[in-house]
Amino acid sequence: MVAERQGAVAARNILAQRQRFGAVPFFWSQHYDTTINYVGHAEQWDRLDIDGDPAARDCMVTYWRNDKRLAVATVGRDLDSLRAEAEFERQTP
């Protein structure tokens, strides 16, 4: 989906619309019966909150820096991942 959005912005820029690509980054990866979703971008963080149990494949990990939520990783919580993506999208100018 990110690549699709990038292509659309590239096409608009070719047509001289000078649009900035500002979509929230995300990816997912499936390993056998476990899916990991990641939304946002956190190169560095000073706090990590874990809600749930990673060993049970049911958790949400939130990455923070200076009390600002940077990214969310989920295992077994697709709805939480979608909610985080929607919130990040609302915050993106």
Side-chain angles (χ1 to χ4, degrees):
M1 184 59 107
V2 172
E4 209 174 278
R5 292 177 183 177
Q6 288 173 332
V9 171
R12 289 184 194 105
N13 286 326
I14 289 169
L15 298 171
Q17 292 183 15
R18 305 201 43 95
Q19 184 178 17
R20 180 182 170 275
F21 181 75
V24 175
F26 70 91
F27 72 86
W28 60 268
S29 183
Q30 187 159 348
H31 304 273
Y32 300 99
D33 62 342
T34 303
T35 302
I36 301 167
N37 297 304
Y38 182 91
V39 61
H41 181 73
E43 287 186 34
Q44 298 178 5
W45 56 91
D46 56 24
R47 189 172 100 220
L48 188 72
D49 292 339
I50 300 174
D51 178 46
D53 183 3
R57 297 181 187 150
D58 177 26
C59 66
M60 179 170 67
V61 180
T62 305
Y63 299 83
W64 300 85
R65 186 163 189 191
N66 298 325
D67 291 324
K68 180 181 179 186
R69 186 169 74 159
L70 303 175
V72 172
T74 61
V75 177
R77 296 190 179 186
D78 292 344
L79 188 55
D80 287 334
S81 180
L82 291 170
R83 286 180 179 142
E85 182 179 3
E87 183 61 31
F88 284 129
E89 289 285 345
R90 279 193 289 276
Q91 295 170 3
T92 301

